[in-house]
Amino acid sequence: MDGRDAGIQNAAHLLSNALRGLALTGAGISAESGIPTFRGEGGLWRKYDPVKVASIEYFMADPSAYWSVSRERGGAALAARPNPGHRALAALEAAGRLTAVVTQNTDGLHQDSGSRDVIELHGSGRAVVCLDCGRREPRAEVQARLDVEMPPRCQSCGGGKLKPTVVLFGEPLPQPEISRAFELARHADVMLVVGTSLVVYPAAEIPLAAVRAGARLIVVNAEPTPFDGIAEVVIHGRAAEILPAVAARAVATGA
Ligand code: NAD
Ligand code: ZN
């Protein structure tokens, strides 16, 4: 048995006994659905300046900078489907081994894969809101008119500040979601962290809170993270390969 198999077995064992398991996910879990991560190999930040493209300050000054990037790559994100990693987390929740999934992602793929309790720390990329009149609209509809309208305009008031319902740089995180995530973390017995570089706070603080309160930590990530040293189980690999193996053992056999 190599180190990876041992890691899978140990993770399955911890989860099979979990009564209040909690997952925290980042962009890595959606990489295999074809949505690029921000950091790391092939990450978007090597291509775009995130401060310009995804900060509230720049957005307010010129929404078309944001929407031009969306015109180029937003269609792929909207068309993405959940992968076996998302489905494994949904299966663990259905089996009672996870109470919820806290995610930094805005792609909606956890919900699409069947996870019921999803806490979105950075909002949802599936909708836009008009900052002038407050009207909401599905993002797919805005996306469809980007080729003929830049920046896109509100269908109701004609305003030119349609903002995706995501948290941009410089915006506060939604307080109810943050509070609930920390509450669940403080009561978790197993904390499963997947596909996040764990360098963005306060999200990275969530597994710390869980560990401080006694949770056992599992990290699944393509590359090392700053938390590998305090984790009981660390598995370096692709989420879509590792998680189904972990869930199958944890759910079927009781590991
Ligand atoms: P990140 O891009 O900083 O880090 C992603 C991590 O995932 C990296 O450590 C990388 O090694 C790892 N990874 C890459 N492919 C993987 C795979 N197949 N399996 C397992 N791990 C893999 O992402 P982050 O830490 O989540 O934070 C950046 C912010 O970017 C988030 O807050 C999020 O809001 C936003 N974001 C969201 C999406 C999305 O919604 N899908 C995509 C890109 C960025
Ligand atoms: Zn409007």
Side-chain angles (χ1 to χ4, degrees):
M1 189 159 69
D2 67 16
R4 201 167 100 151
D5 286 342
I8 288 169
Q9 188 161 315
N10 292 338
H13 177 70
L14 287 184
L15 281 163
S16 68
N17 291 307
L19 297 176
R20 293 173 310 280
L22 182 66
L24 171 70
T25 66
I29 197 170
S30 294
E32 286 148 283
S33 292
I35 305 177
T37 59
F38 276 4
R39 297 180 185 78
E41 196 76 8
L44 283 178
W45 289 11
R46 309 227 166 133
K47 218 171 154 198
Y48 304 107
D49 179 349
V51 176
K52 289 210 167 121
V53 170
S55 78
I56 186 67
E57 200 186 327
Y58 276 80
F59 180 86
M60 294 306 282
D62 178 18
S64 41
Y66 177 91
W67 286 110
S68 297
V69 173
S70 274
R71 180 170 56 193
E72 200 183 309
R73 58 168 297 276
L78 285 173
R81 306 304 314 143
N83 68 54
H86 298 106
R87 286 195 286 274
L89 294 186
L92 284 167
E93 183 189 11
R97 307 278 70 90
L98 287 178
T99 51
V101 178
V102 177
T103 188
Q104 301 168 82
N105 297 341
T106 56
D107 55 37
L109 294 182
H110 285 302
Q111 292 91 331
D112 286 353
S113 73
S115 285
R116 281 189 293 264
D117 196 349
V118 181
I119 300 164
E120 293 179 311
L121 296 180
H122 294 167
S124 166
R126 293 270 175 95
V128 300
V129 61
C130 170
L131 296 185
D132 293 315
C133 76
R135 178 178 185 262
R136 280 176 182 255
E137 194 180 354
R139 182 170 188 146
E141 288 175 21
V142 176
Q143 187 74 27
R145 36 182 217 273
L146 291 179
D147 280 334
V148 292
E149 206 177 60
M150 186 57 66
R153 303 223 155 253
C154 173
Q155 304 257 339
S156 174
C157 77
K161 287 193 165 56
L162 292 186
K163 183 187 163 299
T165 57
V166 298
V167 176
L168 295 179
F169 289 99
E171 288 193 291
L173 299 190
Q175 200 50 53
E177 278 76 6
I178 284 289
S179 300
R180 191 147 178 262
F182 277 99
E183 177 71 13
L184 288 169
R186 282 191 295 270
H187 292 95
D189 50 4
V190 176
M191 179 84 222
L192 170 62
V193 175
V194 185
T196 168
S197 51
L198 290 173
V199 296
V200 181
Y201 282 78
E205 193 77 37
I206 292 168
L208 277 184
V211 168
R212 277 194 211 109
R216 302 168 85 174
L217 177 63
I218 304 166
V219 172
V220 177
N221 203 60
E223 300 165 273
T225 78
F227 288 16
D228 288 5
I230 61 162
E232 190 163 332
V233 181
V234 178
I235 310 172
H236 290 149
R238 294 167 185 271
E241 289 168 19
I242 307 287
L243 292 182
V246 170
R249 277 175 187 257
V251 171
T253 66

